Amino acid sequence: MDGTGVPDPAPPPAAPPVKPPGRPCSPARLRRARWSVAVVFLVHGSVTGGFATRVPWIQDHAQLSAGQLGLALAFPAIGASLAMPLAGRISHHLGARAALRTLLALWTLSLALPALSPNLYGLCGALLVYGATAGMADVAMNALGVETEDRLGKPIMSGLHGMWSVGALLGSAAGTAAAHAATDARLHLAVAAAVTTVLGAVACQGVLDLRSTPDEHPPPRFALPPKSALVIGAIGFCAVFAEGASLDWSAVYLRDVLGTDAGLAAASTTAFSCTMAVARLAGDRVVARFGPVRTVRVSGVLATAGGVLIVLARHPAMALTGFALIGLGIAVVVPLAFAAAGRSGPAPSQAIAGVATITYTSGLIAPSAIGSIAQATSLTGSFLLVTVLAGGLIAGAGVLRAPGRGTARRDAVPTGDPKRS
């Protein structure tokens, strides 16, 4: 039992050895697989960043009110939550590499759909597809990331999610340039969809190719996540809630609570995003040195301290430091939650999908929850809740403890007992 009072997750039974159907993975092959899946994460992030910059154009094109836009923007999370459990079955039938290549292509191509939507109904349908393909590709790439990490024998998940953040920054930079040049979003997003589809297809050629054994039963189309995923997902919920609250409300907090100008208020979002990206890229070395449990405990301390600074801030510098600390504190939590889910039992993609569903839900409700609490009390009171949830990372870090090497799960692909690549 961990010092937090949370029992350590039971290690899964050792799987019987499976004879590799071809040549074993050499160190060079594993390095190629690592960088290939890193590019996949970058592509996934760039699609998200590119879409976010053109939301105002899409709103004007479809002639939507703020309320209608808010309704439409709930559909990506709905689509992702509904479709993520299907990723395991697709990987079972196609194999991990072909499944990822297919799902990533569907996701990148769906980037063009929202800008083509003429009204609210069309946009809701487009964003439902956009979210569904995003969620399935998310599960597939995280599963392969965990498998690649296991075979390398060192942490890489934080760095992979750091590449996602880099991709989001690149996509948003390209989208900002297109918007500044008054480029029609239909043209911009169509070109972006084509470029990311080609880049994703090339990257997928280098990922591990895992396949199911002939006698293996396919996973269910829909299934409730295992209990282990619910516990691990609670940690991810706390981190993503703090992330969503900080991204959407940091600038408003500095403007309304501390009376700063728009430029300084916007700097809070930049400080948060940059510290989170840098921490993710550097996080693997920290995790390798201290382990996931101690890393998340310290991360929780940093995020909690950041929340306290924000709540007590009487000067913009205190709040800016607070948001930077939250970004630094939560950066590695979600990658470690996915890694822990992938190792938590015999159905890794079901567990990863469960954790992903919880984190998507957290990201969906966080902005509106902060607004509701602010309306009932104050914006400072809202960030008191963020601070409490950040403290939950300290208390719950023990659920991320990795299983012993002797019983470590061989794979993280949603097909049970995949063959070696």
Side-chain angles (χ1 to χ4, degrees), residues 326-419:
I326 289 180
L328 186 65
I330 67 173
V332 301
V333 177
V334 171
L336 290 177
F338 278 123
R343 302 186 182 100
S344 63
S349 78
Q350 186 180 340
I352 289 174
V355 169
T357 300
I358 294 170
T359 56
Y360 268 70
T361 302
S362 180
L364 176 64
I365 69 173
S368 58
I370 293 297
S372 299
I373 296 171
Q375 186 172 358
T377 58
S378 67
L379 198 52
T380 301
S382 298
F383 275 88
L384 183 60
L385 172 61
V386 173
T387 305
V388 172
L389 289 176
L393 300 177
I394 305 172
V399 303
L400 302 181
R401 189 179 301 280
R405 285 287 176 190
T407 56
R409 192 187 49 74
R410 290 182 304 108
D411 61 19
V413 176
T415 52
D417 292 328
K419 297 177 181 178

Side-chain angles (χ1 to χ4, degrees), residues 2-237:
D2 187 73
T4 61
V6 179
D8 296 338
V18 178
K19 183 180 179 180
R23 61 182 178 83
C25 289
S26 64
R29 175 74 183 84
L30 286 175
R31 286 194 297 270
R32 181 190 176 198
R34 174 185 179 175
W35 290 111
S36 294
V37 76
V39 175
V40 169
F41 272 77
L42 184 143
V43 168
H44 197 285
S46 70
V47 174
T48 302
F51 166 74
T53 61
R54 304 318 303 264
V55 169
W57 188 98
I58 293 170
Q59 179 183 12
D60 293 341
H61 176 68
Q63 299 180 336
L64 304 180
S65 67
Q68 289 173 323
L69 178 63
L71 173 63
L73 290 177
F75 275 79
I78 295 172
S81 299
L82 292 175
M84 281 188 290
L86 296 174
R89 199 172 184 89
I90 292 171
S91 290
H92 175 86
H93 288 295
L94 299 181
R97 180 189 293 168
L100 179 61
R101 182 169 56 235
T102 301
L103 295 173
L104 187 65
L106 291 174
W107 157 239
T108 53
L109 291 173
S110 73
L111 176 61
L113 297 179
L116 302 176
S117 305
N119 52 42
L120 174 63
Y121 301 107
L123 183 60
C124 289
L127 291 179
L128 188 71
V129 173
Y130 174 88
T133 54
M136 290 188 291
D138 198 337
V139 171
M141 72 186 192
N142 273 286
L144 272 171
V146 173
E147 166 64 12
T148 306
E149 179 179 84
D150 282 351
R151 295 195 185 189
L152 283 168
K154 61 182 181 180
I156 65 169
M157 287 300 292
S158 179
L160 294 181
H161 282 256
M163 290 295 289
W164 190 97
S165 297
V166 171
L169 290 172
L170 292 175
S172 62
T176 299
H180 184 72
T183 303
D184 190 304
R186 289 170 292 192
L187 174 61
H188 161 226
L189 295 183
V191 171
V195 171
T196 53
T197 299
V198 172
L199 182 59
V202 172
C204 287
Q205 289 300 107
V207 303
L208 298 176
D209 189 17
L210 308 175
R211 297 181 181 274
S212 304
T213 55
D215 58 344
E216 183 184 343
H217 294 291
R221 289 183 176 88
F222 292 98
L224 293 174
K227 292 181 179 179
S228 59
L230 297 178
V231 177
I232 295 169
I235 298 297
F237 181 95

